[in-house]
Amino acid sequence: MAGMLYLVGTPIGNLEDLSPRARRTLEEADFIAAEDTRVTLKLLNHFSLRKPLVSYYEHNKKSSGAAIFQRIAGGETCALVTDAGMPCLSDPGADLVRLCAENGIPVTTVPGPSAAVSALVLSGLDTGRFTFEGFLSTANKKRVEHLSALRGETRTMIFYEAPHKLLRTLQDFETVFGPERRIALCRELTKVHEEVRRTTVGEALRYYSEEAEPRGEFVLILAGAERQAEPEADLPDALAQVRRLQKEGAPLRQACKAVSEETGIAKNTLYRAALSAERQE
């Protein structure tokens, strides 16, 4: 009989954020798959938990993932954790979930802290619609392609960034999105020195270039592009549609109403323009 995979959210800074259910799941699992076993061991020690740990991260995901899957398929329960926050976001956990799902092995989640969502709600920017972009590639071509594809994105964007790469990322943001684009830079979330800097891309670049050295892991919340107003339909084309409907037997007011609904041009505007055109003929 197959076991089960638990996706367990762990604290992003403050250890008190580990939920009672998450603690119980870690305690009852047969083993824990961790991004960095040293980080997870500190968490387990804090709560006096003793569990076998296996390493599962980007560079060993193929071999380790297969071994973990075999253990679950053999009847063991596995708690999958990342160093901080929810697994499967910017780590290889999604591959293991997919493998289990494809083979009929049950997967469930034990929700917990998320740096992305925590930063988003602290940002002061639009939270109605957003897109998670994770880490930018270190390869220049992929990085440029990624950001260029987001040039017209109107949703709020969420990025993760390491401190030593922050300036390069802010420079790229300034090039692609402009210095006046709003941004919130969140670091040390839930920790003693939590900081949320709400500013513009240009000012953030100046600040971290001249006044402060970037420290700690960053979550960058970038405002989306301004929505462009829909261009008003071409009036001459709309009048041509009115004439066509009139030739087919529709009264002028009825024709104007139908074209107004299709084009968005006000019915009265069409009616007055049609009358004016008739007088000039």
Side-chain angles (χ1 to χ4, degrees):
M1 182 177 178
M4 190 165 186
L5 175 64
Y6 291 88
L7 310 175
V8 183
T10 55
I12 58 176
N14 192 323
L15 296 183
E16 293 180 10
D17 291 336
L18 186 73
S19 74
R21 183 182 171 216
R23 178 176 177 175
R24 186 176 69 251
T25 301
L26 295 176
E27 187 174 21
E28 295 177 353
D30 291 310
F31 69 102
I32 298 171
E35 179 183 4
D36 187 329
T37 56
R38 295 165 299 180
V39 172
T40 301
L41 184 59
K42 292 179 182 178
L43 176 68
L44 296 181
N45 287 340
H46 181 82
F47 291 100
S48 300
L49 299 176
R50 299 289 183 269
K51 280 293 165 180
L53 290 167
V54 298
S55 174
Y56 179 64
Y57 63 104
E58 184 63 31
H59 298 296
N60 75 349
K61 65 180 180 181
K62 189 172 182 179
S63 58
S64 185
I68 292 169
F69 170 75
Q70 290 300 325
R71 292 182 64 174
I72 299 173
E76 294 186 73
T77 57
C78 172
L80 175 66
V81 298
T82 186
D83 287 352
M86 286 300 298
C88 304
L89 293 176
S90 293
D91 76 31
D95 295 334
L96 186 56
V97 172
R98 189 179 306 110
L99 185 59
C100 288
E102 289 172 350
N103 288 275
I105 292 175
V107 181
T108 191
T109 182
V110 182
S114 167
V117 174
S118 297
L120 176 66
V121 298
L122 285 171
S123 70
L125 298 174
D126 181 23
T127 61
R129 299 183 67 207
F130 58 91
T131 172
F132 177 72
E133 300 298 327
F135 287 99
L136 290 169
S137 173
T138 55
N140 191 58
K141 182 179 180 181
K142 289 184 178 180
R143 190 182 183 88
V144 170
E145 289 175 351
H146 187 165
L147 290 176
S148 296
L150 295 172
R151 194 183 301 273
E153 176 60 69
T154 57
R155 294 172 294 180
T156 302
M157 292 165 275
I158 305 175
F159 297 87
Y160 286 164
E161 194 52 277
H164 64 283
K165 298 177 183 176
L166 180 67
L167 290 180
R168 179 188 175 189
T169 294
L170 290 175
Q171 289 167 352
D172 289 342
F173 281 2
E174 185 175 61
T175 299
V176 175
F177 305 111
E180 298 306 314
R181 182 71 66 91
R182 299 297 300 175
I183 189 173
L185 302 95
C186 308
R187 53 182 291 273
E188 300 294 289
L189 292 175
T190 76
K191 299 179 183 178
V192 174
H193 300 293
E194 175 178 289
E195 179 184 41
V196 180
R197 182 167 294 276
R198 303 174 184 90
T199 183
T200 63
V201 168
E203 176 56 26
L205 180 57
R206 186 203 64 77
Y207 177 80
Y208 283 108
S209 297
E210 301 175 6
E211 296 187 28
E213 179 184 351
R215 295 178 182 274
E217 299 296 318
F218 282 81
V219 183
L220 308 176
I221 311 296
L222 186 68
E226 293 287 339
R227 292 183 179 276
Q228 299 298 316
E230 291 293 327
E232 189 175 87
D234 186 70
L235 185 58
D237 289 344
L239 286 176
Q241 294 181 53
V242 170
R243 286 177 175 273
R244 177 176 56 78
L245 292 176
Q246 283 184 287
K247 288 180 180 179
E248 293 174 359
L252 177 58
R253 288 191 180 278
Q254 182 180 331
C256 290
K257 180 181 179 182
V259 175
S260 174
E261 292 175 350
E262 181 178 340
T263 64
I265 297 177
K267 178 176 60 178
N268 290 339
T269 299
L270 287 170
Y271 184 74
R272 288 193 297 269
L275 289 178
S276 177
E278 287 178 359
R279 296 192 197 100
Q280 294 176 15
E281 291 178 351

